[in-house]
Amino acid sequence: MTDSKWPKDLKKTRVRQAIVNVLREASSPLSALQITTEILKSDDKIWPSTLYRGLDALVSAELVRRIALTESSAALYELSTHRHSHYAICLDCRKMFAIHNCPLTNYEPLIADKDFTIMNHKMEIYGYCGACLKKRIDKSNRERNQ
């Protein structure tokens, strides 16, 4: 994120910039703990309260999006791209995989109220990634052969 895109009314602190840098490099949304871990790799001074205040400020400024997953009490964070996103989540390893198209687009015409205007929606898909599915199959095969 360049200085020109940083909101004028949001103070650019070391922690806020570090959060943005970590999220920019992330391939999927991160928890506050994961963000802290990444920041601590290059900076040994960060208090959890400072991190959470920084995240709150960045969410309020709409630079960062907070994602609350249905199956978890922990929030995840990603840079705001001004487009919504969906994820498939592995039930074993909890890895998240981006869905690059919106599967709900085809459902909009099926809403009974033809004047209903969708402002936002949320969808999570749960299953097993290839690696975890292979482990489950291998385990099942071993158990069957005993």
Side-chain angles (χ1 to χ4, degrees), residues 18-56:
I19 292 168
V20 168
N21 291 343
V22 166
L23 292 175
R24 184 184 300 121
E25 298 299 318
S27 59
S28 64
L30 301 175
S31 68
L33 179 60
Q34 291 170 312
I35 294 168
T36 302
T37 301
E38 289 301 312
I39 291 173
L40 288 175
K41 288 179 181 177
S42 61
D43 185 349
D44 61 352
K45 300 175 188 172
I46 185 167
W47 291 95
S49 58
T50 306
L51 177 88
Y52 282 105
R53 281 194 307 272
L55 283 167
D56 287 343

Side-chain angles (χ1 to χ4, degrees), residues 24-102:
R24 184 184 300 121
E25 298 299 318
S27 59
S28 64
L30 301 175
S31 68
L33 179 60
Q34 291 170 312
I35 294 168
T36 302
T37 301
E38 289 301 312
I39 291 173
L40 288 175
K41 288 179 181 177
S42 61
D43 185 349
D44 61 352
K45 300 175 188 172
I46 185 167
W47 291 95
S49 58
T50 306
L51 177 88
Y52 282 105
R53 281 194 307 272
L55 283 167
D56 287 343
L58 292 167
V59 168
S60 293
E62 298 181 356
L63 291 177
V64 169
R65 181 183 3 241
R66 179 182 289 120
I67 303 169
L69 297 177
T70 307
E71 285 198 354
S72 172
S73 60
L76 299 176
Y77 300 88
E78 68 180 355
L79 285 182
S80 292
T81 58
H82 300 292
R83 63 178 174 80
H84 68 277
S85 51
H86 301 292
Y87 295 94
I89 304 156
C90 180
L91 291 167
D92 278 348
C93 68
R94 308 303 294 168
K95 190 182 240 182
M96 297 176 69
F97 302 90
I99 299 172
H100 297 291
N101 64 323
C102 178

Side-chain angles (χ1 to χ4, degrees), residues 113-131:
D113 179 350
K114 299 298 180 201
D115 294 324
F116 188 86
T117 301
I118 297 173
M119 300 306 291
N120 197 1
H121 62 267
K122 180 178 177 178
M123 186 177 82
E124 299 160 12
I125 298 173
Y126 293 90
Y128 298 103
C129 69

